Amino acid sequence: MDKSKTEAGSPSPEPNSGQHFSIGSALTSTGVSQGTFNGKIDEVRVWNVVRSATDISNNYLVELSSGSGLAGRWGFNECSGNSAINSVAGGATGTLTNAPTRTVANFNPAPSDPINPNPASGTINFPGNQVGITVNDRNAQNMTVTLYGRKKNAAAGTPFTIIGLPDTQFYTEEPQGANSSGGGHNGIFKSQTQWIANHRVDSNIVFVSQLGDCTQNGDTKEIEFKRADTAIKNIENPNVPTAFGIPYAISVGNHDQGPIYNPNGTSIFYNQYFGSARFAGRTYYGGHYGANNHNSYQLFSAGGIDFIHISLDYNDNSNAAGQGSTTDVETLQAVLDWADNLLKTYPNRKAILSTHWLMGTGTQTAFQGPGQKIYDDLKDNPNLILMLAGHVAGEGRRTDVFGGNTVHTLMSDYQSGFTNGGNGFLRIMRFDPATNTLSVKTYSPYANSSRTGASSEFQLPVSLGGASFTMINSQVNAASGSTVNLPWAGLEPLTEYEWYVTVSDGENEVTSQVFNFKTSGLVPIKLMEFKAVEENTQVKLSWKTATESNSQRFDVERSTDGSHFNKIGEVAAKGNSNSVQKYSMLDASASKGINYYRLKQLDVDGHFTYSPIVAVTLSAGKGFEIYPNPVSGNEISIVFGGEVKDKAVIKVFDINGKLRINTKATVDNSNISIKHNLNPWCLCCKCYCWR
C-alpha cells in the first residue's frame, strides 16, 4: 500500500451505493470508463468489514473464496471466455472487455524488501571487504542480487546549469506582437535558445525545461508550433555538436492544449511537433504516460549525479464546468500515480518535476490549482528535490519539508508586465555539488540584462548527494532466505561509503534502501604539501610527508582539463616513517598552458588515497617575436617569451631564400638587437638558442 488516510471519528461505508463497479478502470457516475489498468490481476476481493494490515498480509498470496464479510470475490480462474465468475453466492458475474490476455500461471509477487544489511547502516571501523544482505522471495524463487555503491564523501562533481524557459507564448504568437505588452516576436525565443547553445560548454548547461505555454493558440494556429520548432532546434543536433544536442523537455501548458485548458484533449500540433517521435532514440528520453507525449520523463547525469526529470501536462485538478473537462481530477490522479511509480522506480536519481501551474507569486505563497495535490502525492519520495512552474505572471517560490526531505518550488513567468511579451528573461539555475547549493539568476539574452532582487536572484540549499552509484558486484541464483555476501574491492581506509542492492526474480525487481558505513584502518601517508612549478620548460613536482605507514609508492598523474588524469610516473615511498620525507619528480612532457597534477598514494595492501589537485601554467618557453613587423629601418629586435640568458644564432634570409645575415649573439634580458643595411621589405629571420 503506497497511500493511506485515516478519517476522524468512526465513519461507516455507504451501504447502499448505486454507483457502478469495475475492476481495472475508474467509472463515471454514468458508467463510462476512464482509463484502463495496464498490468496483471490475479484475484480481486471486496469486503464489507474493515481488514487490518495483518489480515491482508496473512492471506493475499493464497486463494480465498469465502470468509466472513467477503462481499465479492473474482478469481479469474475461468481460463477462457469473457466471464469473470463471482465465487460469493448470489454475487454478480463480471464481463471482461478490451480483450485482456489470460495467463494460466500462479501470481508472481515481487521479492520482499532485503533485510539484515551487514555492516548495519551507520557502522564505523568496518574491517571487511564485502557487504551482506538477506533476501526472500514470496514464491521461493532464486534471485539475482546486484550491489551498487559509492564513496559517501566522494570528491564533489563539477558545477552544472539547468535552464528554465518560462512561458514563450507571446514570442510564437500569431499574429506577432499581438499580446497585451506588444512587441513579442520569435526572434526573442531564438535568442534565448541560441544563448543556451553558445554557453553550453562554459556554463556546463546540461538540461533545459520549458515551463509550458510554448504557444498561445493551441491547435488553432500551426504556425506557432513551427516557430517553437525553429527556436528549439538551436539546442538540438546538428546546431549543438553532441549526439542529441542538449537534453530538454517542453511541458504542455493550457495554451498548448487542444482544446485549450483540456488535459484530456488530443493536442494535435503539440504531439506533431514535440511528440514522442521527435525524441525516439535519444538516450535521455525515458518515455511517456498514455497514448501521447503530454506527460513524459527524461534521464540525465551531471556533476557526478544521476537525475530524472518529469514533465506533467497542465491540469487544474477541477471537474467543474467551464475550463478543462469533467474528468480532470481522475486524469490527474492517474498521471500522479504514474509519476509516483517513476520516482520509486528510480530512487537513486535526484528528481526534478516541471509542470505549467503550481503556485502564485511571492515567497512561501500557497500552492494553486494542482500544486498542493501534486506535492502531497509525491512528497514521500526522498529523491524529489525541485519543482518548476510558470503560468502566473511574476515570480514565486516556496520550500516544503516532509520526512526530513526538502522540496523547493520555483515559479517564473514574464509574459505580462514586461515589454515584448517577456523580453527574453529566463532562469539560470546553477547547481554546485561541492556546497550542495542552487544559485538562481534571471537573465535576458535578448536584452542582455539581468533582474536583481530577492525574488529574481537567490541561493537555496539542495541535497545533491555526491557522486553517482556504480555497480560493484552481482550474484545470480541466490536462494530465498539466504544471506548474500558481495565482495567490494578497493575499499579505502577511514572512508565513508554508501550502498544499496537490487533484487530481481526475473520478472519483478525491488530496490533496498541506501545503507552506509565507514572503513577502519590507517591512512598510509599524511601529506604535508604538494607543489608544481615551472622550471626550464619543464614542471618540477615536489611534496613532503609528515608520516608514512606501510606506504608503497606515489603514482604521479597529470590532466589538461582537471577531470581526466593519466599516470605519467611513479616514485617509491619510504614505507614507514615518523619524520618528514621529501620527494620530487620532473615532468619533461607537460603541455603548454595549464597542467593539473595529483598524487595517488598507495600502500602495500593496495589501499590508496588521492592528494589535492595542484595546477601550473607552462609558458611558451623559448618562443620569440620580431619587431618592427613588417620590418622597417636598419635594426631588428628579437624578444623572447620568457626569461632567456643564452647564446643565439641569428640567420636572416631574403624573400628568395638567400642568406643575408648569419651572426651569433648573447641574449641579454631576453632581448637581441641587430643592425643591418639591407632592404627591409625582403627579409625574414630565424633564431636558434643553445647553452
Side-chain angles (χ1 to χ4, degrees), residues 372-415:
Q372 188 69 58
K373 172 66 174 174
I374 291 173
Y375 174 71
D376 285 344
D377 272 32
L378 304 180
K379 67 184 179 183
D380 64 338
N381 294 284
N383 50 335
L384 180 63
I385 61 172
L386 182 65
M387 300 198 300
L388 305 173
H391 189 57
V392 180
E395 298 170 325
R397 73 176 190 266
R398 59 177 290 135
T399 298
D400 296 276
V401 180
F402 177 80
N405 183 60
T406 299
V407 177
H408 299 293
T409 302
L410 308 182
M411 189 281 296
S412 55
D413 176 13
Y414 306 101
Q415 69 185 76

Side-chain angles (χ1 to χ4, degrees), residues 120-348:
S121 196
T123 296
I124 60 175
N125 294 322
F126 176 62
N129 60 0
Q130 65 179 21
V131 298
I133 198 82
T134 300
V135 295
N136 289 278
D137 185 78
R138 296 179 175 94
N139 279 346
Q141 301 176 100
N142 285 352
M143 296 157 284
T144 298
V145 184
T146 304
L147 167 66
Y148 296 85
R150 68 180 180 186
K151 284 184 179 180
K152 184 176 181 180
N153 294 322
T158 304
F160 57 91
T161 302
I162 294 176
I163 300 295
L165 277 176
D167 307 47
T168 55
Q169 64 204 82
F170 288 164
Y171 309 146
T172 58
E173 182 181 22
E174 174 62 26
Q176 294 274 271
N179 63 83
S180 59
S181 300
H185 56 85
N186 205 42
I188 300 175
F189 195 176
K190 290 191 285 187
S191 73
Q192 291 177 314
T193 53
Q194 188 59 58
W195 181 89
I196 293 169
N198 293 345
H199 292 274
R200 175 182 64 90
V201 175
D202 61 35
S203 294
N204 195 18
I205 298 174
V206 299
F207 192 80
V208 178
S209 176
Q210 200 281 332
L211 302 177
D213 278 4
C214 189
T215 63
Q216 172 68 4
N217 293 292
D219 278 350
T220 65
K221 295 185 178 180
E222 184 179 4
I223 184 62
E224 297 181 356
F225 281 94
K226 290 183 177 181
R227 288 170 180 154
D229 169 64
T230 301
I232 290 296
K233 282 179 177 175
N234 282 341
I235 61 174
E236 294 181 313
N237 181 285
N239 294 314
V240 171
T242 61
F244 305 109
I246 301 174
Y248 72 92
I250 296 181
S251 296
V252 180
N254 52 300
H255 283 272
D256 300 315
Q257 293 172 333
I260 287 177
Y261 289 106
N262 189 346
N264 294 303
T266 56
S267 300
I268 295 172
F269 289 147
Y270 176 86
N271 286 288
Q272 177 180 332
Y273 285 90
F274 298 108
S276 58
R278 186 183 187 115
F279 301 97
R282 302 189 188 187
T283 54
Y284 67 83
Y285 181 67
H288 59 87
Y289 169 80
N292 51 47
N293 207 38
H294 300 179
N295 302 277
S296 64
Y297 72 100
Q298 298 74 34
L299 304 172
F300 65 96
S301 299
I305 305 164
D306 297 326
F307 284 89
I308 178 172
H309 174 269
I310 301 176
S311 175
L312 299 186
D313 193 1
Y314 172 89
N315 188 318
D316 64 4
N317 193 35
S318 172
N319 288 348
Q323 294 183 349
S325 71
T326 58
T327 57
D328 286 4
V329 172
E330 293 81 0
T331 298
L332 180 61
Q333 185 63 67
V335 169
L336 291 179
D337 289 344
W338 166 78
D340 186 58
N341 182 64
L342 283 175
L343 295 177
K344 289 177 170 59
T345 300
Y346 297 98
N348 300 307

